[in-house]
Amino acid sequence: RKEVEQDPGPFNVPEGATVAFNCTYSNSASQSFFWYRQDCRKEPKLLMSVYSSGNEDGRFTAQLNRASQYISLLIRDSKLSDSATYLCVVNRGNYGQNFVFGPGTRLSVLP
Amino acid sequence: NAGVTQTPKFQVLKTGQSMTLQCAQDMNHEYMSWYRQDPGMGLRLIHYSVGAGITDQGEVPNGYNVSRSTTEDFPLRLLSAAPSQTSVYFCASSSGSGGNQPQHFGDGTRLSIL
């Protein structure tokens, strides 16, 4: 079993739809969590950090459930420009070398 | 506002050749790392450094060497290229050693080994 798992998709949704992605992690010692966005053949870019109390950034909402060891990302009012692969990233400990990347979930927003 | 700069962007090598992928950051970040990304897989850590003069192995270090003589630069060396090393390579950096600091990525080197 992979340490960080995501549904690879693709998720094909119409513009304006709400879409949610989940990510599960197996290491209960994981301490920090992020969502990154990766466009085709480009570098990953930080979308948002995920905080224990949940957090929102515009149309994006991230939630963390430590008890069940999963992280979610909700995108409201999807735009064509949201089409990308979304990477769930977990840091096991206090140091950067403990980042573990999920394989990503591909989203296509259709006109 | 360069951030993390990787060179070259593309490279084709023959099996057995060696080469160095360059990575430089201008954000005075202590932590730097190299990842490879293969289709259907997440990014996998090759080597990392928590500061100048300090390097360590990640998940998939075999066939690669690194050094960190300055804070800014973190080159990755392929010792004897193999087709299995065909991949996209990303360099990343983050401030401090705190795991709650996100990583900033270069735009990648696409490497093909024939």
Side-chain angles (χ1 to χ4, degrees):
Chain A
R1 183 188 172 198
K2 293 180 181 176
E3 186 166 344
V4 178
E5 295 195 274
Q6 297 180 251
D7 182 342
F11 285 60
N12 297 316
V13 302
E15 266 188 293
T18 295
V19 60
F21 307 136
N22 286 332
C23 164
T24 59
Y25 61 95
S26 60
N27 190 328
S28 60
S30 299
Q31 297 194 8
S32 54
F33 310 89
F34 308 90
W35 283 101
Y36 276 73
R37 169 197 170 123
Q38 186 173 28
D39 294 294
C40 186
R41 301 181 68 78
K42 299 283 190 180
E43 76 275 20
K45 293 184 178 178
L46 177 69
L47 179 65
M48 58 197 302
S49 301
V50 185
Y51 302 119
S52 297
S53 55
N55 49 299
E56 190 173 303
D57 183 1
R59 298 181 292 109
F60 299 86
T61 301
Q63 297 279 351
L64 168 63
N65 185 319
R66 286 189 183 269
S68 301
Q69 295 181 201
Y70 79 79
I71 308 145
S72 64
L73 177 68
L74 182 77
I75 305 175
R76 292 182 299 279
D77 189 23
S78 299
K79 311 292 185 190
L80 296 177
S81 57
D82 294 334
S83 297
T85 296
Y86 290 84
L87 307 177
C88 173
V89 184
V90 171
N91 192 311
R92 301 184 193 113
N94 290 326
Y95 298 96
Q97 71 272 20
N98 288 309
F99 277 77
V100 181
F101 286 76
T105 297
R106 192 153 59 92
L107 171 66
S108 291
V109 181
L110 308 173
Chain B
N1 198 18
V4 180
T5 302
Q6 288 184 238
T7 57
K9 294 194 186 324
F10 302 93
Q11 184 71 48
V12 179
L13 293 178
K14 295 181 179 178
T15 298
Q17 287 184 314
S18 62
M19 80 159 295
T20 299
L21 279 60
Q22 302 291 344
C23 176
Q25 52 91 10
D26 61 1
M27 298 174 282
N28 201 32
H29 284 171
E30 294 176 20
Y31 177 79
M32 297 185 73
S33 55
W34 276 101
Y35 293 88
R36 60 178 289 172
Q37 187 174 34
D38 301 295
M41 304 184 72
L43 278 78
R44 292 184 292 167
L45 184 63
I46 303 171
H47 284 284
Y48 65 93
S49 168
V50 299
I54 307 169
T55 64
D56 208 343
Q57 297 180 351
E59 180 186 355
V60 289
N62 292 341
Y64 308 95
N65 273 354
V66 292
S67 60
R68 184 96 179 269
S69 56
T70 67
T71 299
E72 294 77 22
D73 299 299
F74 190 44
L76 177 73
R77 297 183 191 84
L78 277 71
L79 308 174
S80 177
S84 61
Q85 294 178 304
T86 293
S87 189
V88 181
Y89 292 84
F90 290 104
C91 178
S93 73
S94 63
S95 59
S97 58
N100 61 348
Q101 298 301 315
Q103 296 196 48
H104 302 266
F105 286 84
D107 53 12
T109 295
R110 284 150 185 81
L111 182 62
S112 293
I113 315 295
L114 305 178

